[in-house]
Amino acid sequence: MAIGFIGAGNMAEAIIKGLISNKVYNCDEINISDISDNRLEYMQSAYSINTFKYNNLLVSSSDLAVLAVKPQVAGEVMEALDDFPVDKPVISIAAGLRIEKITKLLGDRPVIRVMPNTPALAGWGAAGIFANKKGEKHLPLAKKIFSAIGEAFVLSSEDDMNIVTALSGSGPAYFFLLMEEMINAGIELGLDEKLASDLTIQTAIGAAMLARQGNNDSETPEDLRKKVTSPGGTTEAALKELENNQLGALVMLAVSRAKQRSEELSKV
Ligand SMILES: NC(=O)C1=CN([C@@H]2O[C@H](COP(=O)(O)OP(=O)(O)OC[C@H]3O[C@@H](n4cnc5c(N)ncnc54)[C@H](O)[C@@H]3O)[C@@H](O)[C@H]2O)C=CC1
Ligand SMILES: O=C(O)[C@@H]1CCC=N1
């Protein structure tokens, strides 16, 4: 069984790294194509996988194709795939690309839509998965692939993919922005850059680990926040500022905007 990635970008690399280190596929069972020769050379030397200059050759040498190009070029990439047998499944990770469009261009075939995220690069990804009727029998394989790079969650409706994209697909960027701002605050208030950065990142990891542990013990992030917040203390002073400046409403606005953008991309 060979897996073929169309597009050798950041997400394809994250997935491939996880597949190899978790021995889901051997290097010689992984194919990749890209328009960039540099990118193909890099992927070949970093992971010893098979590279293809042409997407058509890639799909004819693969049992499963993973569409990993930007949504804006996905249409033209699919239109140019000739003689791609309809029994071969497609996994698409392109944001906002609906299954209906894929089957329209590639024929009525098994399709699995997945929304992964970049923490997959560190093995800590979160992915939402949805299959069409024909794709359902390939769900165990899709779950295996995305569990190799984090946790995979099967969705009951394709429409939920827009929310998943806004929450966990784009979500790492929200946490990174918060980290950037915390580091900047630490520096501005007098710490050196390295210390501000080390403290912020370790705190983010600690908070995430605690939240994860809490999730198993029915302790919510809200419960954990309350444990940090001593009455009349420093945390309370900080949180009041975040509340007064409507952090909650701002997060709702940002996530809704990302969801709306995902819906817009569905119409391209
Ligand atoms: N970056 C992220 O956090 C996430 C991205 N995604 C989705 O994953 C997909 C890929 O995103 P990234 O890896 O971040 O993008 P990227 O820009 O790093 O990778 C895309 C790759 O496709 C190649 N490419 C462009 N045209 C091509 C063609 N005609 N044939 C073959 N290859 C071609 C590019 O040279 C590039 O290497 C997108 O559809 C995006 O919506 C999904 C979840 C998270
Ligand atoms: O920003 C984007 O469109 C992609 C999808 C989710 C994360 N990155």
Side-chain angles (χ1 to χ4, degrees):
M1 277 290 279
I3 184 168
F5 291 82
I6 306 175
N10 293 314
M11 278 316 306
E13 181 172 7
I15 299 166
I16 288 168
K17 208 171 150 188
L19 293 180
I20 295 171
S21 57
N22 287 283
K23 299 187 170 44
V24 180
Y25 284 88
N26 296 323
C27 299
D28 61 5
E29 295 169 321
I30 301 176
N31 302 328
I32 195 149
S33 61
D34 202 287
I35 46 168
S36 159
D37 291 337
N38 285 347
R39 196 61 196 158
L40 288 178
E41 270 168 39
Y42 162 75
M43 292 298 283
Q44 214 285 325
S45 69
Y47 302 103
S48 306
I49 56 177
N50 309 310
T51 57
F52 292 79
K53 199 167 167 47
Y54 302 105
N55 299 330
N56 267 319
L57 292 181
L58 171 107
V59 293
S60 64
S61 306
S62 307
D63 303 293
L64 159 70
V66 181
L67 193 59
V69 292
K70 292 285 185 199
Q72 291 85 348
V73 300
E76 64 190 71
V77 163
M78 287 189 287
E79 271 166 16
L81 290 179
D82 304 324
D83 304 327
F84 183 24
V86 285
D87 56 326
K88 286 193 184 180
V90 169
I91 291 180
S92 165
I93 63 165
L97 182 65
R98 290 191 68 89
I99 289 178
E100 193 188 350
K101 179 157 183 192
I102 299 172
T103 50
K104 199 170 153 201
L105 293 172
L106 293 180
D108 186 18
R109 67 173 65 235
V111 179
I112 296 163
R113 255 187 90 179
V114 181
M115 178 45 55
N117 65 8
T118 57
L121 267 169
W124 282 96
I129 301 186
F130 180 80
N132 66 356
K133 222 51 251 107
K134 286 192 171 169
E136 277 172 7
K137 66 173 182 288
H138 301 281
L139 268 177
L141 175 62
K143 275 183 80 175
K144 195 171 166 190
I145 291 170
F146 289 91
S147 298
I149 50 170
E151 280 199 51
F153 304 87
V154 176
L155 310 178
S156 54
S157 145
E158 187 179 4
D159 287 340
D160 286 349
M161 204 50 102
N162 293 322
I163 309 171
V164 172
T165 303
L167 205 63
S168 56
S170 298
Y174 316 154
F175 286 101
F176 293 137
L177 181 63
L178 181 63
M179 284 191 236
E180 284 173 64
E181 296 300 352
M182 283 177 65
I183 293 167
N184 287 339
I187 296 168
E188 208 160 298
L189 293 171
L191 294 184
D192 73 50
E193 192 178 339
K194 171 92 172 75
L195 183 57
S197 174
D198 287 350
L199 286 171
T200 299
I201 293 168
Q202 182 64 13
T203 302
I205 295 170
M209 296 304 278
L210 214 52
R212 186 168 186 262
Q213 199 175 301
N215 208 14
N216 299 330
D217 303 339
S218 308
E219 209 173 16
T220 65
E222 184 185 351
D223 299 329
L224 294 167
R225 169 173 58 77
K226 285 181 178 161
K227 283 190 182 173
V228 189
T229 314
S230 316
T234 60
T235 316
E236 190 180 85
L239 295 182
K240 248 184 204 144
E241 288 301 330
L242 293 174
E243 270 162 33
N244 289 344
N245 287 286
Q246 312 215 311
L247 178 71
L250 202 55
V251 170
M252 185 63 205
L253 185 66
V255 177
S256 306
R257 189 64 194 95
K259 173 178 177 270
Q260 192 188 338
R261 184 64 192 136
S262 179
E263 287 162 359
E264 284 163 12
L265 286 170
S266 311
K267 294 182 188 117
V268 176

